[in-house]
Amino acid sequence: MDYNNFYDTALNRLHDERRYRVFADLERIAGRFPYALWHTPKGQRQVVMWCSNDYLGMGQHPKVIGAMVEAATRVGTGAGGTRNIAGNNHALIQLEHELADLHGKEAALVFTSGYVSNQTGISTLAKLIPNCLILSDALNHNSMIEGIRQSGCERIVFRHNDVAHLEELLRAHTGRPILIVCESLYSMDGDIAPLAKFCDLAERYGAMTYVDEVHAVGMYGARGAGIAERDGVMHRIDILEGTLGKAFGCLGGYITGKTNVIDAVRSHAPGFIFTTALPPAVCSAATAAIRHLKTSSWERDRQQDRAARVKSILIAAGVPVMSSDTHIVPVFVGNPELCKQASDMLLEEHGIYIQPINYPTVPKGTERLRITPSPYHDDALIDELADAMLQVWDRLGLPLHEKSLAAE
């Protein structure tokens, strides 16, 4: 049996479909973000990062770096194993208290990533509810889909952000335990869920709510708790999930909610029980980032300003910016090969790093470049981005818009 042939076939299929992913070898330098070093066979080259999910540059913030270094120097690097074996390191307890406070919930539970917190959180929550029906938004992240699948519960998908369709499904299953699962901010299109209306329906039909705030925590709300805080519905949502790896600039994921609900997940979730805990240094760094963003709005305000300017400049140039009211700036390409070529040309010829977004992350035919400006992208960098994209669009024969998609 030629087992290698199976893997070669799988890889060749990706190449044929122009979906094979290539990751640039990048080295971020603290204090120089959004600049990074690109390591190539020809040597190092400085590039500008335009697609990082370290949205606010907190990964280089002196408070965050200082907290990590101090903790590692004082208590060492690792967590010593799972919490079941090694116990809770104190920095982890402090982090969970900080997260519960951030979201106005009784308790929080930290996982090793946002993916794991969704995958194991959703599956465990649903399994513990007899005959649970999960109503899932059509554009939910893969980690949520996997959590739903692993729960073994019945699932019905409702049309993206469609309040009427969700109510139709709730009405059809009145009296049954229901878990509504959605994101607050969808990272590929940059659109926002109607959380208040979803909460109205959940309360009317007796459903439980689970909201992923991964791309919103740190970014929105008076203290950076997310869209639910901004929209005044945080107290109406049963489970709020987030990440420490994006706007907070660290690593890890978490869920927050009532004490008994969080304790039930802690006590039953294999993805929590059998996984090594986050190291104390990472926990301390994340706590420092959360505390800073609870009181500092400069990063959020500046980032929104930069995102607005990028959209304005690109739209004025005719670049096909897709409609978005958030910090996400998607630029439509619509072809996987051309999307990859545009990304390669921006990097190799202009020193601009924007990773192509292809299927299965987005549907076929909607391939795009996803731009995420940070507070540290100045006007000159934005102008250089627009000039470079116009040159690439011309070279590849990609269409420009006299009137932007965002304004249509």
Side-chain angles (χ1 to χ4, degrees), residues 243-323:
T243 184
L244 306 169
K246 292 182 171 59
F248 294 130
C250 295
L251 174 71
Y254 62 89
I255 58 173
T256 64
K258 290 184 177 179
T259 299
N260 64 332
V261 176
I262 299 303
D263 196 22
V265 174
R266 182 192 69 87
S267 302
H268 289 86
F272 170 81
I273 295 170
F274 299 105
T275 300
T276 297
L278 285 185
V282 173
C283 297
S284 295
T287 299
I290 296 165
R291 287 176 178 168
H292 175 78
L293 290 174
K294 280 180 177 178
T295 58
S296 174
S297 63
W298 178 86
E299 291 83 1
R300 285 187 285 277
D301 293 342
R302 173 70 175 174
Q303 198 279 337
Q304 290 292 327
D305 174 81
R306 298 291 82 194
R309 190 173 196 279
V310 168
K311 291 176 186 178
S312 176
I313 295 296
L314 293 183
I315 288 170
V319 175
V321 176
M322 302 169 69
S323 179

Coordinates of all heavy atoms in Angstrom, one line a residue, residues 243-323:
T243 N -11.1 35.9 22.5 CA -9.7 35.4 22.4 C -8.8 36.4 23.0 O -9.1 37.6 23.2 CB -9.4 35.3 20.9 OG1 -8.1 34.7 20.8 CG2 -9.4 36.6 20.2
L244 N -7.6 35.9 23.4 CA -6.5 36.8 23.9 C -5.5 37.0 22.8 O -4.5 37.7 23.0 CB -5.9 36.1 25.1 CG -6.8 35.7 26.2 CD1 -6.2 34.9 27.3 CD2 -7.4 37.0 26.9
G245 N -5.7 36.4 21.6 CA -4.7 36.3 20.6 C -4.8 37.4 19.5 O -4.0 37.4 18.6
K246 N -5.8 38.2 19.6 CA -6.0 39.3 18.6 C -5.8 40.6 19.2 O -4.6 41.1 19.3 CB -7.3 39.1 17.9 CG -7.4 37.8 17.1 CD -8.7 37.6 16.4 CE -8.6 36.4 15.4 NZ -8.3 35.1 16.0
A247 N -6.8 41.4 19.5 CA -6.7 42.7 20.0 C -5.9 42.8 21.3 O -5.2 43.8 21.6 CB -8.0 43.4 20.2
F248 N -5.8 41.7 22.1 CA -5.1 41.7 23.3 C -3.6 41.3 23.1 O -2.8 41.3 24.1 CB -5.7 40.8 24.4 CG -7.1 41.3 24.8 CD1 -8.2 40.5 24.9 CD2 -7.2 42.6 25.2 CE1 -9.4 40.9 25.3 CE2 -8.5 43.1 25.7 CZ -9.6 42.3 25.7
G249 N -3.3 40.9 21.9 CA -1.9 40.7 21.5 C -1.2 39.5 22.2 O 0.1 39.5 22.2
C250 N -1.9 38.5 22.7 CA -1.2 37.4 23.4 C -1.6 36.0 22.8 O -1.5 35.8 21.6 CB -1.6 37.5 24.9 SG -0.9 39.0 25.7
L251 N -2.1 35.1 23.6 CA -2.5 33.8 23.2 C -3.6 33.2 24.1 O -3.5 33.5 25.3 CB -1.3 32.9 23.2 CG -1.5 31.4 22.9 CD1 -1.9 31.2 21.4 CD2 -0.3 30.6 23.3
G252 N -4.5 32.5 23.6 CA -5.5 31.9 24.4 C -6.9 32.3 24.0 O -7.2 33.2 23.3
G253 N -7.9 31.5 24.5 CA -9.3 31.8 24.3 C -10.1 31.6 25.6 O -9.5 31.1 26.6
Y254 N -11.3 32.1 25.7 CA -12.1 32.0 27.0 C -13.6 32.0 26.7 O -14.0 32.4 25.7 CB -11.7 33.1 27.9 CG -12.0 34.5 27.4 CD1 -13.2 35.1 27.6 CD2 -11.0 35.2 26.6 CE1 -13.5 36.4 27.1 CE2 -11.3 36.5 26.1 CZ -12.6 37.0 26.4 OH -12.8 38.3 25.9
I255 N -14.3 31.6 27.7 CA -15.7 31.8 27.8 C -16.1 32.4 29.1 O -15.4 32.3 30.1 CB -16.6 30.5 27.6 CG1 -16.2 29.5 28.7 CG2 -16.3 29.9 26.2 CD1 -17.1 28.2 28.7
T256 N -17.2 33.2 29.1 CA -17.6 33.8 30.4 C -19.1 33.6 30.5 O -19.8 33.5 29.5 CB -17.3 35.3 30.4 OG1 -18.1 36.0 29.4 CG2 -15.9 35.6 30.2
G257 N -19.6 33.5 31.8 CA -21.0 33.3 32.0 C -21.3 33.2 33.5 O -20.5 33.5 34.3
K258 N -22.4 32.6 33.8 CA -22.7 32.3 35.2 C -21.8 31.2 35.8 O -21.3 30.4 35.1 CB -24.2 31.8 35.3 CG -25.2 32.9 35.0 CD -26.6 32.4 35.3 CE -27.6 33.6 35.0 NZ -29.0 33.1 35.2
T259 N -21.6 31.3 37.1 CA -20.6 30.4 37.7 C -20.9 29.0 37.5 O -20.0 28.2 37.2 CB -20.6 30.7 39.3 OG1 -20.2 32.1 39.5 CG2 -19.7 29.8 40.0
N260 N -22.2 28.6 37.6 CA -22.5 27.1 37.5 C -22.3 26.6 36.1 O -21.9 25.5 35.8 CB -23.9 26.8 38.0 CG -25.0 27.5 37.2 OD1 -24.8 28.6 36.6 ND2 -26.2 26.9 37.2
V261 N -22.6 27.5 35.1 CA -22.4 27.1 33.7 C -20.9 26.9 33.4 O -20.5 25.9 32.8 CB -23.0 28.2 32.8 CG1 -22.8 27.8 31.3 CG2 -24.6 28.3 33.0
I262 N -20.1 27.9 33.8 CA -18.7 27.8 33.6 C -18.1 26.6 34.3 O -17.2 25.9 33.8 CB -18.0 29.1 34.0 CG1 -18.5 30.3 33.2 CG2 -16.5 29.0 33.9 CD1 -18.4 30.2 31.7
D263 N -18.6 26.4 35.5 CA -18.1 25.2 36.3 C -18.5 23.9 35.6 O -17.7 22.9 35.7 CB -18.6 25.3 37.7 CG -17.9 24.4 38.7 OD1 -16.7 24.0 38.4 OD2 -18.4 24.0 39.7
A264 N -19.6 23.9 35.0 CA -20.1 22.6 34.3 C -19.1 22.3 33.2 O -18.8 21.2 32.9 CB -21.5 22.8 33.9
V265 N -18.8 23.4 32.4 CA -17.8 23.2 31.3 C -16.5 22.8 31.9 O -15.8 21.8 31.4 CB -17.7 24.5 30.5 CG1 -16.6 24.3 29.4 CG2 -19.0 24.8 29.8
R266 N -16.0 23.4 32.9 CA -14.7 23.1 33.5 C -14.7 21.6 33.9 O -13.6 21.0 33.8 CB -14.5 24.0 34.7 CG -13.1 23.8 35.4 CD -13.1 24.5 36.8 NE -14.0 23.8 37.7 CZ -13.6 22.8 38.5 NH1 -12.4 22.3 38.4 NH2 -14.5 22.3 39.3
S267 N -15.8 21.1 34.4 CA -15.8 19.8 35.0 C -16.1 18.7 34.0 O -15.9 17.5 34.3 CB -16.9 19.7 36.1 OG -16.7 20.7 37.1
H268 N -16.5 19.1 32.7 CA -16.9 18.0 31.8 C -16.2 18.1 30.4 O -16.2 17.2 29.6 CB -18.4 18.1 31.5 CG -19.3 17.7 32.6 ND1 -19.7 18.5 33.6 CD2 -19.8 16.5 32.9 CE1 -20.4 17.9 34.5 NE2 -20.5 16.6 34.0
A269 N -15.5 19.2 30.1 CA -14.9 19.4 28.8 C -13.6 18.8 28.6 O -12.6 19.2 29.2 CB -14.8 20.9 28.5
P270 N -13.4 17.7 27.7 CA -12.1 17.1 27.5 C -11.1 18.1 27.0 O -9.9 18.0 27.3 CB -12.5 16.0 26.5 CG -13.9 15.8 26.6 CD -14.5 17.1 27.0
G271 N -11.5 19.1 26.1 CA -10.6 20.0 25.6 C -10.0 21.0 26.6 O -9.1 21.7 26.3
F272 N -10.6 21.0 27.8 CA -10.1 21.7 28.9 C -9.3 20.8 29.9 O -8.2 21.1 30.2 CB -11.2 22.5 29.7 CG -10.7 23.1 31.0 CD1 -10.1 24.3 31.0 CD2 -10.9 22.4 32.2 CE1 -9.6 24.9 32.1 CE2 -10.5 23.0 33.4 CZ -9.8 24.2 33.3
I273 N -9.9 19.7 30.2 CA -9.4 18.9 31.3 C -8.0 18.3 30.9 O -7.1 18.2 31.7 CB -10.4 17.7 31.6 CG1 -11.7 18.3 32.2 CG2 -9.8 16.7 32.5 CD1 -12.8 17.3 32.3
F274 N -7.9 17.9 29.6 CA -6.7 17.1 29.2 C -5.7 18.0 28.4 O -4.8 17.4 27.7 CB -7.2 15.9 28.3 CG -8.0 15.0 29.1 CD1 -9.4 14.9 28.9 CD2 -7.5 14.1 30.1 CE1 -10.2 14.1 29.6 CE2 -8.3 13.3 30.8 CZ -9.7 13.2 30.5
T275 N -5.8 19.3 28.5 CA -4.9 20.2 27.8 C -4.0 21.0 28.8 O -4.5 21.5 29.8 CB -5.6 21.2 26.9 OG1 -6.4 20.4 26.0 CG2 -4.7 22.1 26.2
T276 N -2.7 21.1 28.5 CA -1.8 21.9 29.3 C -2.3 23.3 29.4 O -2.7 23.9 28.4 CB -0.4 21.8 28.8 OG1 0.1 20.5 28.8 CG2 0.6 22.7 29.6
A277 N -2.2 23.9 30.6 CA -2.7 25.2 30.8 C -1.8 26.3 30.2 O -0.6 26.0 29.9 CB -2.9 25.5 32.3
L278 N -2.3 27.5 30.0 CA -1.5 28.6 29.5 C -0.4 28.9 30.5 O -0.6 28.9 31.7 CB -2.3 29.8 29.3 CG -3.2 29.9 28.0 CD1 -3.8 31.3 28.0 CD2 -2.4 29.6 26.8
P279 N 0.8 29.2 30.1 CA 1.9 29.5 31.0 C 1.6 30.8 31.8 O 1.0 31.7 31.2 CB 3.1 29.7 30.1 CG 2.8 29.0 28.8 CD 1.3 29.1 28.7
P280 N 2.2 30.9 33.0 CA 1.9 32.1 33.8 C 2.3 33.4 33.0 O 1.7 34.4 33.2 CB 2.8 31.9 35.0 CG 2.9 30.4 35.1 CD 2.9 29.9 33.7
A281 N 3.4 33.4 32.3 CA 3.9 34.6 31.6 C 2.9 35.1 30.6 O 2.7 36.3 30.4 CB 5.3 34.4 31.0
V282 N 2.3 34.2 29.9 CA 1.3 34.5 28.9 C 0.0 35.1 29.6 O -0.5 36.1 29.1 CB 0.9 33.3 28.0 CG1 -0.3 33.6 27.1 CG2 2.1 32.8 27.2
C283 N -0.4 34.5 30.7 CA -1.5 34.9 31.4 C -1.3 36.4 32.0 O -2.2 37.2 31.9 CB -1.8 34.0 32.6 SG -2.3 32.3 32.1
S284 N -0.1 36.6 32.5 CA 0.2 37.9 33.0 C 0.2 39.0 31.9 O -0.3 40.1 32.1 CB 1.6 37.9 33.7 OG 1.5 37.0 34.9
A285 N 0.8 38.6 30.8 CA 0.8 39.6 29.7 C -0.7 39.9 29.2 O -1.0 41.0 29.0 CB 1.6 39.0 28.5
A286 N -1.5 38.9 29.1 CA -2.9 39.1 28.7 C -3.6 39.9 29.7 O -4.4 40.8 29.3 CB -3.6 37.7 28.5
T287 N -3.4 39.7 31.0 CA -4.0 40.5 32.0 C -3.6 42.0 31.9 O -4.5 42.9 32.0 CB -3.7 40.0 33.4 OG1 -4.2 38.6 33.5 CG2 -4.3 40.8 34.5
A288 N -2.4 42.2 31.6 CA -1.9 43.6 31.5 C -2.5 44.3 30.3 O -2.9 45.4 30.4 CB -0.3 43.6 31.3
A289 N -2.7 43.5 29.2 CA -3.3 44.1 28.0 C -4.8 44.4 28.3 O -5.3 45.5 27.9 CB -3.2 43.1 26.8
I290 N -5.5 43.5 28.9 CA -6.9 43.8 29.2 C -7.1 45.0 30.1 O -7.9 45.9 29.9 CB -7.6 42.5 29.9 CG1 -7.5 41.4 28.9 CG2 -9.0 42.8 30.3 CD1 -7.8 40.0 29.5
R291 N -6.3 45.0 31.2 CA -6.3 46.1 32.1 C -6.1 47.5 31.4 O -6.7 48.5 31.7 CB -5.4 45.9 33.3 CG -5.8 44.9 34.3 CD -4.8 44.6 35.3 NE -5.3 43.6 36.3 CZ -4.5 43.0 37.2 NH1 -3.2 43.3 37.3 NH2 -5.0 42.1 38.0
H292 N -5.1 47.5 30.6 CA -4.8 48.7 29.9 C -5.9 49.2 29.0 O -6.3 50.3 29.0 CB -3.5 48.5 29.0 CG -3.2 49.7 28.2 ND1 -2.6 50.8 28.7 CD2 -3.4 50.0 26.8 CE1 -2.4 51.7 27.7 NE2 -2.9 51.2 26.6
L293 N -6.5 48.2 28.2 CA -7.6 48.6 27.3 C -8.9 48.9 27.9 O -9.8 49.5 27.3 CB -7.7 47.5 26.2 CG -6.5 47.4 25.2 CD1 -6.7 46.2 24.3 CD2 -6.4 48.7 24.4
K294 N -9.0 48.5 29.2 CA -10.2 48.8 29.9 C -10.3 50.4 30.2 O -11.4 50.9 30.3 CB -10.3 48.1 31.3 CG -10.8 46.7 31.2 CD -10.8 46.0 32.6 CE -11.3 44.6 32.6 NZ -11.3 44.0 33.9
T295 N -9.1 51.0 30.3 CA -9.1 52.4 30.7 C -8.6 53.3 29.5 O -8.7 54.5 29.6 CB -8.2 52.6 31.9 OG1 -6.8 52.1 31.6 CG2 -8.7 51.8 33.1
S296 N -7.9 52.7 28.5 CA -7.4 53.5 27.4 C -8.2 53.3 26.2 O -8.3 52.2 25.7 CB -5.9 53.1 27.2 OG -5.4 53.8 26.0
S297 N -8.7 54.4 25.6 CA -9.5 54.3 24.4 C -8.7 54.8 23.2 O -9.2 54.8 22.1 CB -10.8 55.1 24.5 OG -10.5 56.5 24.7
W298 N -7.4 55.3 23.5 CA -6.6 55.8 22.4 C -6.4 54.8 21.2 O -6.6 55.1 20.1 CB -5.3 56.3 22.9 CG -4.4 56.8 21.7 CD1 -4.4 58.1 21.3 CD2 -3.5 56.1 20.9 NE1 -3.5 58.2 20.2 CE2 -3.0 57.0 20.0 CE3 -3.1 54.7 20.9 CZ2 -2.0 56.6 19.0 CZ3 -2.2 54.3 19.9 CH2 -1.6 55.3 19.0
E299 N -6.1 53.6 21.6 CA -5.8 52.6 20.6 C -7.1 52.3 19.8 O -7.0 52.2 18.5 CB -5.4 51.3 21.3 CG -4.0 51.3 21.9 CD -4.0 51.9 23.3 OE1 -5.1 52.3 23.8 OE2 -2.9 52.0 23.9
R300 N -8.2 52.2 20.4 CA -9.5 51.9 19.7 C -9.8 53.1 18.7 O -10.2 52.9 17.6 CB -10.6 51.6 20.6 CG -10.6 50.3 21.3 CD -11.9 50.0 22.1 NE -11.9 50.8 23.4 CZ -11.3 50.4 24.5 NH1 -10.6 49.2 24.5 NH2 -11.4 51.1 25.6
D301 N -9.8 54.3 19.3 CA -10.1 55.5 18.5 C -9.2 55.6 17.3 O -9.6 55.9 16.2 CB -10.1 56.7 19.4 CG -11.2 56.7 20.4 OD1 -12.1 55.9 20.3 OD2 -11.0 57.5 21.4
R302 N -7.9 55.5 17.5 CA -6.9 55.6 16.5 C -7.1 54.6 15.4 O -7.0 54.8 14.2 CB -5.5 55.6 17.1 CG -4.4 55.6 16.1 CD -4.2 56.9 15.3 NE -3.0 56.9 14.5 CZ -2.7 57.8 13.7 NH1 -3.4 58.9 13.6 NH2 -1.6 57.7 12.9
Q303 N -7.3 53.3 15.8 CA -7.5 52.3 14.9 C -8.7 52.5 14.0 O -8.7 52.3 12.8 CB -7.6 50.9 15.6 CG -7.4 49.7 14.8 CD -8.6 49.3 14.0 OE1 -9.8 49.6 14.3 NE2 -8.4 48.6 12.9
Q304 N -9.8 53.0 14.6 CA -11.0 53.3 13.8 C -10.7 54.4 12.8 O -11.2 54.3 11.6 CB -12.2 53.6 14.7 CG -12.7 52.5 15.5 CD -13.5 51.4 14.7 OE1 -14.1 51.8 13.6 NE2 -13.4 50.2 15.0
D305 N -10.0 55.4 13.2 CA -9.6 56.4 12.3 C -8.8 55.9 11.2 O -9.0 56.3 10.0 CB -8.8 57.5 13.1 CG -8.2 58.6 12.2 OD1 -9.0 59.5 11.9 OD2 -7.0 58.5 11.8
R306 N -7.8 55.1 11.4 CA -7.0 54.5 10.4 C -7.8 53.7 9.4 O -7.6 53.7 8.2 CB -5.8 53.7 11.0 CG -4.9 54.4 11.9 CD -4.0 55.4 11.1 NE -4.7 56.7 10.9 CZ -4.3 57.6 10.1 NH1 -3.2 57.4 9.3 NH2 -5.0 58.7 9.9
A307 N -8.7 52.8 9.9 CA -9.5 52.0 9.1 C -10.4 52.9 8.2 O -10.6 52.6 7.0 CB -10.4 51.1 9.9
A308 N -11.0 53.9 8.7 CA -11.8 54.8 7.9 C -11.0 55.5 6.8 O -11.5 55.6 5.7 CB -12.4 55.9 8.8
R309 N -9.7 55.9 7.1 CA -8.9 56.5 6.1 C -8.5 55.5 5.0 O -8.5 55.9 3.8 CB -7.7 57.2 6.7 CG -6.9 58.0 5.7 CD -5.8 58.8 6.3 NE -5.4 59.9 5.4 CZ -4.6 59.7 4.4 NH1 -4.1 58.6 4.1 NH2 -4.3 60.8 3.6
V310 N -8.2 54.3 5.4 CA -7.9 53.3 4.4 C -9.0 53.1 3.4 O -8.9 53.1 2.2 CB -7.5 52.0 5.0 CG1 -7.4 50.9 4.0 CG2 -6.1 52.1 5.7
K311 N -10.2 53.0 4.0 CA -11.4 52.8 3.1 C -11.6 54.0 2.2 O -11.9 53.8 1.0 CB -12.7 52.6 4.0 CG -12.7 51.3 4.8 CD -13.9 51.2 5.7 CE -13.9 50.0 6.6 NZ -15.0 50.0 7.5
S312 N -11.5 55.2 2.8 CA -11.7 56.4 2.0 C -10.7 56.5 0.8 O -11.1 56.8 -0.3 CB -11.6 57.6 2.9 OG -11.7 58.8 2.2
I313 N -9.4 56.3 1.1 CA -8.4 56.4 0.1 C -8.6 55.3 -1.0 O -8.5 55.6 -2.2 CB -7.0 56.3 0.7 CG1 -6.8 57.5 1.7 CG2 -5.9 56.2 -0.4 CD1 -6.7 58.8 1.0
L314 N -8.8 54.1 -0.6 CA -9.0 53.0 -1.6 C -10.2 53.2 -2.4 O -10.2 53.0 -3.6 CB -9.0 51.6 -0.9 CG -7.7 51.2 -0.2 CD1 -7.9 49.8 0.4 CD2 -6.5 51.2 -1.1
I315 N -11.3 53.6 -1.8 CA -12.6 53.8 -2.5 C -12.4 54.9 -3.6 O -12.8 54.8 -4.7 CB -13.7 54.1 -1.6 CG1 -14.1 52.9 -0.8 CG2 -14.9 54.7 -2.3 CD1 -15.1 53.1 0.4
A316 N -11.7 56.0 -3.1 CA -11.5 57.1 -4.0 C -10.6 56.7 -5.2 O -10.8 57.2 -6.3 CB -10.8 58.3 -3.3
A317 N -9.7 55.7 -5.0 CA -8.9 55.2 -6.1 C -9.6 54.2 -7.0 O -9.0 53.9 -8.0 CB -7.6 54.6 -5.5
G318 N -10.8 53.8 -6.6 CA -11.5 52.8 -7.4 C -11.2 51.4 -7.0 O -11.7 50.5 -7.7
V319 N -10.5 51.1 -6.0 CA -10.2 49.8 -5.5 C -11.5 49.2 -5.0 O -12.2 49.9 -4.2 CB -9.1 49.8 -4.4 CG1 -8.9 48.4 -3.9 CG2 -7.8 50.3 -5.0
P320 N -11.9 48.0 -5.4 CA -13.2 47.4 -5.0 C -13.3 47.0 -3.5 O -13.2 45.8 -3.2 CB -13.3 46.2 -5.9 CG -11.9 45.8 -6.2 CD -11.1 47.1 -6.3
V321 N -13.4 48.0 -2.7 CA -13.6 47.7 -1.2 C -15.0 47.2 -1.0 O -16.0 47.8 -1.4 CB -13.3 49.0 -0.4 CG1 -13.6 48.8 1.0 CG2 -11.9 49.5 -0.6
M322 N -15.1 46.1 -0.3 CA -16.4 45.5 0.0 C -17.0 46.3 1.2 O -16.3 46.8 2.1 CB -16.3 44.0 0.4 CG -15.7 43.2 -0.8 SD -15.2 41.5 -0.4 CE -16.9 40.8 -0.1
S323 N -18.3 46.4 1.3 CA -19.0 47.2 2.4 C -18.7 46.6 3.7 O -18.8 45.4 4.0 CB -20.5 47.1 2.1 OG -21.2 47.8 3.1

